[in-house]
Amino acid sequence: MTLTIYDTGRGAKVPFVPLVDGQVSIYCCGLTVQSAPHLGHIRKEAVFDVLRRWLTATGYQVTLITNVTDIDDKILAKSAEAGVPWYAHAYTFERELHNAYAALGLQAPTYEPRATGHIPEMLELVQQLIDRGHAYVAEDGSGDVYFDVRSWPTYGQLSGQKLAEMEPAQDADPRGKRDPRDFALWKGYKQGEPLTASWPSPWGRGRPGWHLECSAMAGKYLGDAFDIHGGGIDLKFPHHENEMAQSQAAGRPFAQYWMHNAWVTASGEKMSKSLGNGLAVTEVVKRWPARAVRLYLIAPHYRSTIEYSDAALDEAAAALSRVDTFVSRASALAPHTPSAVLPPKFVAAMDDDLSTPAALAVLHERVRDGNRALEAGEFPDVQSALADVSGMLDIFGLRADDVAWASHATSDLTPVVDGLVGALLEQRSAARTRKDYMAADAIRDQLTSLGLTIEDTPEGPRWTM
């Protein structure tokens, strides 16, 4: 089966055909490092981490570029409020972003360029647009340079809008514009801003516009044309619309496919910094196992909105615990972990626009099959189920023994708990040997009240959460 993806630009699911056979190039808009990443931000990272794992598993060599926006109006404002240099403020939250990556077992991008490291490429792109008649320098002496949206007939194509129906952003600065919907490519230096937050240009000192940054960095590392551009659905307009317009107006074909993931909402509102309803990743993983948080983010289809709730995270933790219990029991019977296998139904689900809900249903079905085989003592069927489950967990990045989770080892109390429970189980066995069943049952009941299940097997008692 051929991989199909929902291309936002076409508004339909289409077969995925890479530009270069056997290779896939992906650009994802990264975080503006003004504050700590919340679940809404990191959902995009989790979605594209699974996509990358799936493409790799099916034989592609994947290049994933995810940028860091480290210069921005909000970064300047928040750093001034905090009384620290803008670059130090940005770097603080860039480290927070990397901590969130590690917390959720996310693979690092192939490369993660910073906007401030690519000013020459941005100036080159602006000049190309001016030379082609698609950009102009403001006549008010501000040093601003704008993209002329009326010069590009297909502007609005990605978001399905007509220029006549568009309204300028409420916070847009209208000075020097020919049309209020024109957007800034280069922002002239303003009195009072840190001089370090500006760079020399043919139009005077200034800094790049947000939209310009991504086009320049995508072109630098993936070339004029690449396969997939990804990001949250909130970026489709104006950010991605503007990226596509300015890149194509400069003669660069740009992205062949556009993939957008839906929001994480809280009480029906998009999770965002401005609304103050964001849940920092580093705080969430203190309340729930990090692997359960990852499962919570990837379990719904990536184009479906996730409504945040404690109950949903509890459910993800419980579902993962059931999977882990099977893997633990099955692995205890197998001298060697079997080679991972991907069931055909799982492959079909993942090839169908990354349908993780259907793929997870296959995972849970194989766990149930494996548990039945364990109860029946059918060792070959246990091995087969374990191979399937291990392969699927690999794609989701959820294998408990994956090195990605090694950083969590210092907080893993399993060996300590195992020793304490083992000591109590020895006391229970001794009580049963001397026929003191009341004492044996009391120990079992005490462990059960703590959330443990005690199973008597021919090899001795075994506990699970």
Side-chain angles (χ1 to χ4, degrees), residues 1 3-6 13 43-55 259-262 293-306 319 323 343 345-365 391-398:
M1 182 174 176
L3 172 66
T4 62
I5 60 175
Y6 186 89
K13 281 198 291 189
R43 184 186 186 188
K44 183 268 294 180
E45 313 298 342
V47 164
F48 283 89
D49 189 64
V50 172
L51 174 63
R52 180 187 188 181
R53 289 169 185 266
W54 180 239
L55 291 169
M259 294 182 70
H260 292 99
N261 62 274
V293 177
R294 181 184 174 105
L295 175 60
Y296 160 79
L297 290 172
I298 65 175
H301 193 276
Y302 74 91
R303 289 191 285 116
S304 299
T305 299
I306 302 176
V323 174
K345 287 196 296 184
F346 178 87
V347 173
M350 294 299 288
D351 274 345
D352 184 16
D353 191 31
L354 215 65
S355 182
T356 52
L360 280 164
V362 179
L363 170 68
H364 294 306
E365 178 185 339
M392 291 183 279
L393 289 174
D394 267 337
I395 301 301
F396 292 132
L398 290 173

Side-chain angles (χ1 to χ4, degrees), residues 33-119:
V33 284
Q34 53 167 304
S35 57
H38 56 61
L39 289 181
H41 297 127
I42 218 68
R43 184 186 186 188
K44 183 268 294 180
E45 313 298 342
V47 164
F48 283 89
D49 189 64
V50 172
L51 174 63
R52 180 187 188 181
R53 289 169 185 266
W54 180 239
L55 291 169
T56 301
T58 50
Y60 289 105
Q61 180 181 340
V62 181
T63 300
L64 173 64
I65 304 298
T66 301
N67 73 293
V68 170
T69 296
D70 60 341
I71 183 67
D72 174 83
D73 291 344
K74 293 178 181 177
I75 290 174
L76 294 181
K78 292 200 171 189
S79 62
E81 290 174 12
V84 297
W86 64 270
Y87 48 82
H89 182 89
Y91 185 53
T92 295
F93 293 108
E94 183 181 338
R95 293 202 310 272
E96 288 268 3
L97 175 62
H98 293 156
N99 290 341
Y101 284 167
L104 296 184
L106 297 166
Q107 297 175 329
T110 306
Y111 188 59
E112 192 177 37
R114 292 181 182 140
T116 53
H118 298 79
I119 302 299

Side-chain angles (χ1 to χ4, degrees), residues 123-405:
L123 295 176
E124 181 182 3
L125 178 54
V126 174
Q127 190 61 58
Q128 287 177 345
L129 290 167
I130 292 174
D131 294 343
R132 286 171 169 258
H134 296 298
Y136 60 91
V137 181
E139 296 180 358
D140 61 358
S142 62
D144 294 344
V145 182
Y146 293 105
F147 183 86
D148 184 354
V149 296
R150 291 186 176 276
S151 75
W152 191 242
T154 60
Y155 186 74
Q157 180 181 5
L158 180 64
S159 56
Q161 300 184 79
K162 295 180 179 179
L163 183 61
E165 299 170 353
M166 296 181 189
E167 293 184 4
Q170 293 181 353
D171 60 350
D173 187 346
R175 63 187 182 120
K177 292 184 179 182
R178 296 173 181 171
D179 186 295
R181 289 158 295 196
D182 292 347
F183 59 88
L185 299 169
W186 187 259
K187 297 183 176 184
Y189 172 77
K190 300 181 185 67
Q191 196 66 33
E193 291 182 344
L195 192 62
T196 53
S198 65
W199 291 262
S201 83
W203 320 287
R205 292 195 70 88
R207 54 190 169 85
W210 175 37
H211 313 302
L212 178 76
E213 296 174 353
C214 287
S215 287
M217 287 184 282
K220 170 79 170 181
Y221 297 102
L222 298 178
D224 289 351
F226 56 94
D227 293 311
I228 298 172
H229 195 312
I233 191 65
D234 54 318
L235 298 183
K236 183 169 71 169
F237 184 86
H239 184 49
H240 288 168
E241 187 74 67
N242 292 350
E243 276 189 72
M244 186 171 80
Q246 67 196 7
S247 298
Q248 292 182 349
R252 306 177 184 186
F254 211 53
Q256 307 303 298
Y257 302 88
W258 292 83
M259 294 182 70
H260 292 99
N261 62 274
W263 294 335
V264 177
T265 58
S267 300
E269 295 281 350
K270 170 197 168 189
M271 192 171 286
S272 70
K273 299 168 187 171
S274 58
L275 293 176
N277 61 357
L279 288 156
V281 174
T282 48
E283 293 303 313
V284 175
V285 296
K286 292 177 182 177
R287 298 181 57 194
W288 288 276
R291 289 169 59 238
V293 177
R294 181 184 174 105
L295 175 60
Y296 160 79
L297 290 172
I298 65 175
H301 193 276
Y302 74 91
R303 289 191 285 116
S304 299
T305 299
I306 302 176
E307 172 66 17
Y308 171 81
S309 71
D310 288 0
L313 278 158
D314 288 340
E315 184 179 334
L320 190 60
S321 178
R322 290 191 291 272
V323 174
D324 288 346
T325 297
F326 163 70
V327 171
S328 177
R329 294 177 66 200
S331 299
L333 297 177
H336 303 289
T337 302
S339 299
V341 178
L342 295 174
K345 287 196 296 184
F346 178 87
V347 173
M350 294 299 288
D351 274 345
D352 184 16
D353 191 31
L354 215 65
S355 182
T356 52
L360 280 164
V362 179
L363 170 68
H364 294 306
E365 178 185 339
R366 293 300 286 142
V367 168
R368 290 192 294 271
D369 293 343
N371 281 327
R372 284 193 290 267
L374 279 167
E375 297 305 320
E378 297 170 346
F379 183 70
D381 290 343
V382 174
Q383 285 274 66
S384 173
L386 181 58
D388 288 359
V389 169
S390 297
M392 291 183 279
L393 289 174
D394 267 337
I395 301 301
F396 292 132
L398 290 173
R399 281 187 63 148
D401 58 353
D402 193 304
V403 293
W405 306 108

